[in-house]
Amino acid sequence: MPLIQFPDVPKVPGVSSVLRSATLAVAATDPAAALAAIVDLVLGGQTWGIFDRNGQVALEFDSFLDIRHQSFARIATHPVEDGGFVSYNKVSLPSRNGVRISHSGTKSSREALLTAVDALVKSVELYSIVTPEVTYASVNLTGYAYERTTHNGVSLLVIDLHFEEVRTVASALFTQTVDPSGAREVSNGQVQAFPIPDSTITTRELL
């Protein structure tokens, strides 16, 4: 009887299909390769990470643990007669993202990661948080916190990153105005300096 690598599951109604991958069969003897193959199979090869404007990786870490996205809007109200209020506008507020990452490399790599995170907090550069479903662009790191606990392993570093959306405003490339009086002052001629007469008034002149 030939060796069957996978269970023979019949394709009949009511029986779920089984995912089969030759990569998993080859990597069965290597736990690390098997785990990488399972992750790639489940995520479909999608990328998780934090990238800069040039598409380069901004932080080097092991795992992207979770993300928490918050998006809010504010409705403006104005008091009217008889003590009531009327809503007249709705403004979208910058979104916030909480990202948790982990890293369990060497001591030098953990130090490098913490140094990079601290540099991002002090930077005004914009970054993108990439997930399989949504990419949150134009965000800046506003804070972070990390922990090392005994139940997670002495060498495991877990970092919480707090990002906030930054909305940029396009600058105007024109100076023409509808009303000429609203235009900026422009000097088109020569400017010649002249002395200012002495206007000092003495005490005797005032008397």
Side-chain angles (χ1 to χ4, degrees):
M1 181 178 179
L3 178 62
I4 300 176
Q5 296 181 354
F6 305 100
D8 187 11
V9 180
K11 294 182 179 180
V12 295
V15 178
S16 303
S17 59
V18 178
L19 290 176
R20 299 180 176 182
S21 175
T23 306
L24 296 180
V26 173
T29 57
D30 187 352
L35 179 60
I38 293 174
V39 172
D40 183 73
L41 183 64
V42 173
L43 298 181
Q46 297 291 339
T47 302
W48 296 72
I50 302 168
F51 301 87
D52 59 15
R53 285 184 171 183
N54 300 322
Q56 303 297 322
V57 177
L59 293 175
E60 295 283 353
F61 52 88
D62 290 342
S63 302
F64 196 113
L65 299 181
D66 60 58
I67 180 172
R68 300 173 302 279
H69 176 74
Q70 294 179 326
S71 182
F72 302 96
R74 179 175 297 171
I75 299 177
T77 58
H78 185 74
V80 293
E81 296 180 358
D82 298 330
F85 290 84
V86 59
S87 300
Y88 62 92
N89 195 9
K90 184 177 183 180
V91 180
S92 177
L93 302 179
S95 62
R96 297 180 180 180
N97 293 280
V99 174
R100 173 170 290 185
I101 61 176
S102 66
H103 185 66
S104 60
T106 61
K107 180 177 180 294
S108 59
S109 65
R110 295 195 301 269
E111 291 177 351
L113 178 58
L114 289 176
T115 302
V117 170
D118 190 67
L120 260 63
V121 172
K122 301 176 182 178
S123 173
V124 295
E125 295 293 329
L126 300 180
Y127 301 91
S128 296
I129 304 173
V130 179
T131 68
E133 295 79 19
V134 184
T135 296
Y136 301 101
S138 186
V139 298
N140 182 265
L141 184 64
T142 58
Y144 74 96
Y146 72 92
E147 62 179 8
R148 291 179 63 186
T149 58
T150 56
H151 64 272
N152 286 335
V154 179
S155 61
L156 182 62
L157 187 65
V158 180
I159 306 177
D160 290 318
L161 307 174
H162 305 283
F163 292 91
E164 186 171 344
E165 179 188 6
V166 177
R167 298 177 179 177
T168 58
V169 179
S171 58
L173 301 178
F174 54 87
T175 57
Q176 299 293 335
T177 59
V178 177
D179 189 357
S181 63
R184 295 181 300 176
E185 295 183 359
V186 179
S187 178
N188 295 325
Q190 297 181 355
V191 179
Q192 183 178 2
F194 57 90
I196 299 178
D198 188 8
S199 59
T200 304
I201 301 178
T202 61
T203 305
R204 180 171 295 179
E205 291 176 349
L206 292 176
L207 295 176

